[in-house]
Amino acid sequence: MKNIIFIISLMVLISCQEKSSTKTIVKMETKEFVWEAANIYFLLTDRFNNGDTTNDVNFGRTKETGKLRGFEGGDLKGITQKIKEGYFTDLGINAIWMTPIVEQIHGSTDEGTGNSYGFHGYWTKDWTKIDPNFGTKEDLKELVAVAHKNGIRILLDAVINHTGPVTDKDPVWPSDWVRTGPQCAYNNYENTITCTLVKNLPDIKTESNENVALPPQLIEKWKAEGRYEQEFKELDDFFARTGHPRAPRFYIMKWLTDYITEFGIDGYRVDTVKHTEEFVWQEFKQECDFAFAEYKKNNAEKVVDNDDFYLVGEVYNYAISHGKAFDFGNKTVNYFDKAFNSLINFEIKWNAKQMAEEAVFEKYDSILQNDLKGYGVLNYMTSHDDGQPFDKERKMPFKTATMLFLTPGTAQVYYGDESARPLIIEGTVGDATLRSFMNWDAINTDVETQKIMKHWQKLGQFRVNHTAVGAGKHQLISDENGLVFSRIRNADKIVAGINLSKGKKEIDVASVFENGAVLNDFYSNQEVNVVDGKVTVNSEFDIVLLELK
């Protein structure tokens, strides 16, 4: 019997080795995870992958819309499907941030760009329910469980600043909850916060400490769904525990932190941060931390690691050059201390265009190792509402990946960056052009797209296997005949070279690796030896990614 088991085990092992040998990319086990070096994949839930066509239409959302302004079918099941297929693992992704999945307004509105529905998730109707276009609670539970099993963290998107627009199906919230004017002027602190972002986007009175009753439309909705008593009891328990007033912002914090305690999400990307008082985010962090601790206590077997809950803020136009101080003109605000782990960095795309690579790396290393030590920035080249991405015409997909993945800080891949998904869509108005459906056909059939994908995968996997790349100390080795540099974080050390000559190249590694060390060039998948402080790599590529074998 033991012999039979051994033979079967051997056959399985051989089969697995044969299957893995068909992979063109070498994958290594991730040794450490830190948010400061994470590879975060940002996707529009509705635009990534349609895993369940039965939920594509809800609430009579059937009006004709402007181009790419309606629901397109993407959902939670579609994301889970791609996790299971290994799509994110192949790309070196260890965290996924998806646009808000809470129930959106049922009606549509025209902002001057054609009729629009809340496909993007930022037009909330009910924070306590997942929009059926995106899926169900069971779908979210499976997504988080499958992601965690594959070493991937999940970030949801938090909106506290505003409700959805008012439509014929979506009445305005009570006046003690929201203001409907004036519209923000954005030239000082006050008229960036106590105002509406745009016309017909009611602004939550986040500054208020007055007790307010639940909106009547929410009470009516919950009663119709048979969950009013449960929701009301949970609110009573929340306010009794915290001692917070029943002010608008605390209701919303309760509803958002429920996704932590119920589903075990790992973090929030927070929307429109600078349009809300900074103390709100300090309060939100406290509630998120409490909820995460409760989840870990009640679900010890599901805990991924000992990391704290992650909060990354969207302070529109924040740049790493600002350090901790964002300037409103008449006031500066520090959003890091007691609030955010990280802020989205709107500067990287300009730095990558206007500065030499080494100047970018040195600048980011200097700031992150000093002014922002203990915190981070989230670098991106493309996003869902930035009309001036690094490479709008997708002419530099290789450089986009190289600069995104090799620049110190956390990296945010926008869905389709890795496949050069077009960002110029004929017939669209405004940011809709950035939000086309994922180009799966090109990924599956187009040779050039597959070459681009391979580059992104190699860089992404190397980065995810070495926290030194994103969070280590940067050191220039040489800028002659290309750029060679090292990154070291604790015991993790790498040497990388870009813009090198193709063919045979000699790399100085003496400052990092000892003579006799055996290294692996992850990019070309070849073994090299350190001789007289140097290695020789002969490859068809102009990039080298060296690690200890």
Side-chain angles (χ1 to χ4, degrees):
M1 183 66 181
K2 288 181 179 178
N3 289 336
I4 294 173
I5 293 172
F6 173 76
I7 292 169
I8 292 173
S9 300
L10 186 61
M11 290 173 66
V12 169
L13 178 62
I14 292 170
S15 174
C16 289
Q17 288 176 336
E18 287 175 348
K19 287 179 181 177
S20 65
S21 69
T22 64
K23 283 274 188 184
T24 55
I25 296 172
V26 178
K27 286 191 282 191
M28 297 172 61
E29 183 181 351
T30 303
K31 296 184 175 69
E32 182 188 22
F33 175 86
V34 291
W35 283 107
E36 292 85 356
N39 292 348
I40 300 178
Y41 193 94
F42 171 36
L43 58 86
L44 265 71
T45 311
D46 177 68
R47 300 292 161 87
F48 184 66
N49 187 38
N50 192 343
D52 182 1
T53 56
T54 66
N55 65 13
D56 288 357
V57 179
N58 293 281
F59 308 124
R61 293 169 173 152
T62 55
K63 285 184 180 179
E64 184 178 350
T65 67
K67 188 159 187 178
L68 290 176
R69 293 275 169 190
F71 284 89
E72 298 274 329
D75 47 37
L76 298 172
K77 281 187 176 178
I79 300 168
T80 304
Q81 177 185 326
K82 290 301 175 181
I83 298 173
K84 289 179 177 178
E85 290 176 6
Y87 182 80
F88 297 102
T89 301
D90 288 345
L91 193 56
I93 297 300
N94 53 9
I96 297 171
W97 150 32
M98 64 191 81
T99 47
I101 59 173
V102 299
E103 187 172 327
Q104 298 296 286
I105 60 171
H106 294 182
S108 60
T109 188
D110 189 340
E111 300 177 294
T113 55
N115 204 37
S116 298
Y117 284 109
F119 69 90
H120 44 67
Y122 295 99
W123 288 352
T124 306
K125 183 181 183 74
D126 184 352
W127 274 272
T128 70
K129 190 144 184 269
I130 296 174
D131 194 290
N133 268 75
F134 304 138
T136 65
K137 284 187 173 185
E138 289 69 31
D139 294 338
L140 181 58
K141 283 178 182 175
E142 183 188 17
L143 188 155
V144 174
V146 171
H148 285 173
K149 184 179 178 182
N150 285 272
I152 297 170
R153 282 78 176 163
I154 295 297
L155 304 181
L156 294 185
D157 203 316
V159 181
I160 297 181
N161 171 257
H162 57 273
T163 68
V166 180
T167 77
D168 56 350
K169 293 183 178 181
D170 308 283
V172 67
W173 288 45
S175 59
D176 54 2
W177 273 82
V178 302
R179 61 175 61 83
T180 55
Q183 196 170 323
C184 295
Y186 304 119
N187 56 17
N188 63 38
Y189 180 79
E190 290 74 25
N191 66 28
T192 301
I193 292 180
T194 52
C195 48
T196 66
L197 295 178
V198 295
K199 186 179 179 181
N200 193 25
L201 197 65
D203 182 66
I204 296 288
K205 291 184 174 179
T206 48
E207 78 283 4
S208 173
N209 285 315
E210 298 299 316
N211 291 327
V212 297
L214 283 166
Q217 63 264 43
L218 210 52
I219 293 173
E220 181 183 352
K221 180 178 185 293
W222 288 352
K223 285 183 175 178
E225 294 169 353
R227 57 193 183 96
Y228 171 74
E229 288 78 11
Q230 178 62 29
E231 294 291 348
F232 199 83
K233 180 186 180 302
E234 289 182 16
L235 285 166
D236 277 347
D237 293 343
F238 173 81
F239 286 113
R241 175 183 66 79
T242 62
H244 292 315
R246 290 178 181 257
R249 69 183 184 277
F250 291 118
Y251 280 94
I252 299 172
M253 288 183 200
K254 186 273 177 192
W255 296 332
L256 288 171
T257 54
D258 281 350
Y259 290 89
I260 305 172
T261 51
E262 185 170 355
F263 301 99
I265 65 168
D266 304 279
Y268 265 122
R269 176 270 188 183
V270 182
D271 186 57
T272 56
V273 165
K274 72 177 183 181
H275 303 288
T276 299
E277 300 79 8
E278 56 271 25
F279 63 79
V280 172
W281 307 122
Q282 295 170 3
E283 295 164 342
F284 186 50
K285 175 177 172 53
Q286 290 178 350
E287 293 306 326
C288 287
D289 288 346
F290 177 86
F292 202 42
E294 285 294 292
Y295 175 80
K296 287 185 171 184
K297 182 174 71 176
N298 297 327
N299 300 274
E301 76 286 356
K302 296 180 182 178
V303 173
V304 179
D305 53 38
N306 293 321
D307 286 329
D308 295 331
F309 194 77
Y310 180 67
L311 282 181
V312 55
E314 181 226 19
V315 177
Y316 207 86
N317 284 333
Y318 166 81
I320 189 173
S321 296
H322 299 154
K324 287 186 178 181
F326 183 79
D327 191 358
F328 282 88
N330 65 336
K331 179 178 180 179
T332 59
V333 174
N334 176 351
Y335 289 104
F336 285 95
D337 294 346
K338 300 180 182 178
F340 290 98
N341 304 83
S342 181
L343 294 184
I344 295 173
N345 175 32
F346 287 73
E347 184 180 356
I348 178 64
K349 57 179 186 154
W350 300 113
N351 294 154
K353 276 185 177 180
Q354 298 164 355
M355 299 167 63
E357 291 95 337
E358 169 57 19
V360 176
F361 298 159
E362 193 281 329
K363 170 182 177 172
Y364 280 57
D365 174 72
S366 176
I367 296 172
L368 290 169
Q369 297 287 339
N370 293 284
D371 290 356
L372 289 179
K373 193 166 185 64
Y375 297 96
V377 293
L378 180 57
N379 297 320
Y380 76 91
M381 296 297 202
T382 322
S383 192
H384 64 317
D385 57 3
D386 187 337
Q388 296 180 299
F390 174 72
D391 181 23
K392 190 162 189 176
E393 295 181 347
R394 297 297 200 192
K395 291 182 177 179
M396 300 180 287
F398 292 91
K399 182 173 181 178
T400 302
T402 301
M403 290 307 294
L404 177 65
F405 281 136
L406 295 184
T407 297
T410 309
Q412 175 230 290
V413 180
Y414 185 49
Y415 80 106
D417 277 351
E418 74 277 21
S419 56
R421 176 179 60 83
L423 299 173
I424 301 174
I425 308 297
E426 188 177 351
T428 56
V429 179
D431 53 21
T433 196
L434 306 169
R435 304 174 176 184
S436 61
F437 207 84
M438 185 66 174
N439 56 336
W440 295 114
D441 286 346
I443 290 171
N444 293 328
T445 61
D446 183 72
V447 174
E448 188 58 34
T449 301
Q450 290 167 354
K451 287 180 183 177
I452 294 167
M453 289 277 295
K454 193 70 62 64
H455 179 68
W456 281 79
Q457 289 171 336
K458 287 177 179 178
L459 279 165
Q461 286 189 26
F462 185 71
R463 193 179 198 275
V464 84
N465 287 329
H466 297 285
T467 55
V469 178
K473 185 76 185 83
H474 172 81
Q475 184 65 52
L476 172 67
I477 294 177
S478 172
D479 56 3
E480 296 179 10
N481 303 315
L483 176 64
V484 179
F485 57 90
S486 66
R487 299 275 169 81
I488 298 176
R489 175 185 161 85
N490 302 325
D492 186 28
K493 51 184 72 174
I494 64 97
V495 170
I498 60 175
N499 304 326
L500 305 172
S501 58
K502 295 181 179 179
K504 192 174 182 180
K505 39 202 162 270
E506 192 175 70
I507 311 294
D508 183 350
V509 298
S511 60
V512 180
F513 300 114
E514 296 180 353
N515 283 332
V518 181
L519 307 184
N520 176 53
D521 172 26
F522 189 83
Y523 202 90
S524 64
N525 190 24
Q526 64 177 289
E527 185 179 296
V528 292
N529 297 297
V530 181
V531 178
D532 295 330
K534 296 181 174 64
V535 298
T536 300
V537 177
N538 192 351
S539 73
E540 61 183 300
F541 309 112
D542 63 358
I543 183 170
V544 167
L545 302 174
L546 295 170
E547 62 191 358
L548 276 171
K549 184 73 174 177

